[in-house]
Amino acid sequence: MPPRKKPRSAAAVAATGGQNPAQYLTSFLQYLEVECGMSANTLSAYRSDLVQFFTWYATQRTVRVADVDLKLLTGYLQHLNERQLAPTTVSRHLVAIKMFFRYLVLEGILLQNVVDLLNSPKLWQYLPTVLSPDMVDKLLAAPQGEFDRYPRRDRALLSLLYATGCRASEVSDLTLSDLHLDENFARCVGKGNKERIVSLNPLTVAAIQTYLEQERPELAQFRDADWLFMSRSGGGLSRISIWRLVKRYAARVGASQRVSPHTLRHSFATHLLAGGADIRAVQELLGHASISTTQIYTQVEHSRLKAVHRACHPRG
């Protein structure tokens, strides 16, 4: 990427301000990758969100990037809300747009960023979907040899998701060298390329060992690959494939349609707090940079707080 340009004159900005913002998408994504060090998954999400914005923007009878104002952006947020998207999803779209227009100001394409004046939707109403321990047990036992081609792989996958609270992308990236089954832990790399150690319980270790001994050799017979979870073609199991597997087994056991790999991460955190785990410890186990991200689970786990009140309050 070329070095950052000096700020341009108002006349020069006015000239470029008449252009379509969509034409700056490629250079913006390059900026995020090279200068901000964002991951491929984050870049993909930004691209998807911005393409949706540009598609809607093209219907607004204007192509001038300088014409973006609060009225237009408020209209887009209303459009997203009409699609009944979750508040977190709407906020993610807004973050992508804010970053994009900050980049345009940074590059001297715009003089000011009106998007920063727009507030994110309130997120306090959002509570993650969490499975009960009984439903988790049913989900983890769902893969069966009579119905599924690789039940041992899928059982090991589901067990690892719940045992570690890892994201689907983190599990997709796991390799054999990341596993330390003798010591009951694995090494994973999360957002921002931050490495952390996750614990493996005995049931998960046993499930992984069974998969490694009985199914993985067949999956790896035509390819010398180091991926832990492999597809039938011999490649690594993608996060989309993991998502589909979780959805399939969730439907089989009658779980909510909203269940996804992230539901097991939410359940992992909530069940830890219900068992008395310290929130700081849960933050480290999840790989959250901020404790505020972890605190959402304290709103989900009401039973533990009620039990503490009953046990400790004089009139509990």
Side-chain angles (χ1 to χ4, degrees):
M1 176 168 287
R4 177 75 14 81
K5 305 179 182 70
K6 294 181 179 180
R8 298 190 295 170
S9 66
V13 170
T16 55
Q19 297 173 347
N20 191 323
Q23 73 181 72
Y24 300 108
L25 178 59
T26 300
S27 60
F28 170 64
L29 294 173
Q30 290 175 346
Y31 160 76
L32 293 182
E33 180 180 17
V34 176
E35 296 199 24
C36 300
M38 291 190 175
S39 69
N41 288 341
T42 302
L43 293 175
S44 177
Y46 272 63
R47 180 191 296 274
S48 174
D49 292 346
L50 287 171
V51 166
Q52 292 180 58
F53 171 66
F54 296 146
T55 301
W56 175 87
Y57 181 74
T59 68
Q60 302 307 300
R61 299 181 181 178
T62 178
V63 294
R64 285 168 41 89
V65 66
D67 289 338
V68 175
D69 55 18
L70 284 178
K71 181 179 180 181
L72 186 140
L73 291 168
T74 302
Y76 184 60
L77 288 184
Q78 182 179 353
H79 165 72
L80 295 177
N81 286 320
E82 289 172 353
R83 291 169 54 191
Q84 298 184 333
L85 300 179
T88 48
T89 304
V90 176
S91 291
R92 192 198 67 207
H93 277 264
L94 185 54
V95 167
I97 295 170
K98 283 186 174 183
M99 287 287 291
F100 176 71
F101 279 91
R102 286 173 189 169
Y103 166 76
L104 296 183
V105 172
L106 200 62
E107 290 294 308
I109 296 165
L110 292 177
L111 282 176
Q112 60 181 350
N113 181 11
V114 296
V115 188
D116 281 336
L117 300 176
L118 201 62
N119 292 325
S120 296
K122 293 184 180 296
L123 301 181
W124 63 269
Q125 294 179 327
Y126 168 76
L127 289 177
T129 301
V130 174
L131 299 176
S132 68
D134 287 343
M135 184 57 76
V136 169
D137 289 341
K138 291 179 182 179
L139 179 62
L140 269 54
Q144 299 292 332
E146 56 189 301
F147 303 115
D148 308 304
R149 186 166 185 176
Y150 301 110
R152 296 172 183 83
R153 179 200 64 185
D154 297 348
R155 281 195 179 193
L157 170 68
L158 294 171
S159 184
L160 190 144
L161 282 168
Y162 176 63
T164 63
C166 283
R167 303 174 180 89
S169 57
E170 295 170 345
V171 173
S172 175
D173 290 339
L174 283 176
T175 64
L176 294 178
S177 56
D178 292 325
L179 285 180
H180 300 272
L181 297 182
D182 292 341
E183 301 178 64
N184 294 350
F185 76 88
R187 181 189 68 88
C188 77
V189 179
K191 290 184 177 180
N193 290 322
K194 293 181 180 178
E195 180 181 311
R196 73 181 189 278
I197 301 298
V198 294
S199 298
L200 304 176
N201 59 48
L203 291 176
T204 301
V205 170
I208 293 175
Q209 286 177 329
T210 300
Y211 156 63
L212 292 178
E213 294 170 2
Q214 300 184 24
E215 285 184 356
R216 192 180 182 282
E218 176 188 343
L219 293 167
Q221 62 180 323
F222 299 116
R223 182 177 295 189
D224 183 18
D226 194 32
W227 305 115
L228 171 57
F229 293 110
M230 302 185 70
S231 66
R232 62 183 179 181
S233 63
L237 203 61
S238 70
R239 62 190 180 96
I240 299 300
S241 297
I242 293 174
W243 183 85
R244 288 172 178 164
L245 285 171
V246 172
K247 299 290 282 188
R248 185 174 82 193
Y249 291 122
R252 181 178 296 177
V253 300
S256 166
Q257 294 181 351
R258 296 174 60 189
V259 170
S260 69
H262 227 65
T263 305
L264 289 171
R265 178 173 167 85
H266 294 323
S267 302
F268 163 83
T270 304
H271 295 170
L272 280 176
L273 289 171
D278 178 76
I279 191 169
R280 291 286 181 183
V282 176
Q283 176 191 359
E284 292 185 24
L285 290 169
L286 291 172
H288 285 161
S290 170
I291 190 69
S292 62
T293 309
T294 315
Q295 285 174 335
I296 185 67
Y297 299 109
T298 63
Q299 300 179 45
V300 181
E301 181 34 55
H302 297 295
S303 61
R304 182 177 67 90
L305 298 179
K306 290 180 180 179
V308 170
H309 182 269
R310 286 195 300 267
C312 302
H313 195 276
R315 297 188 179 184

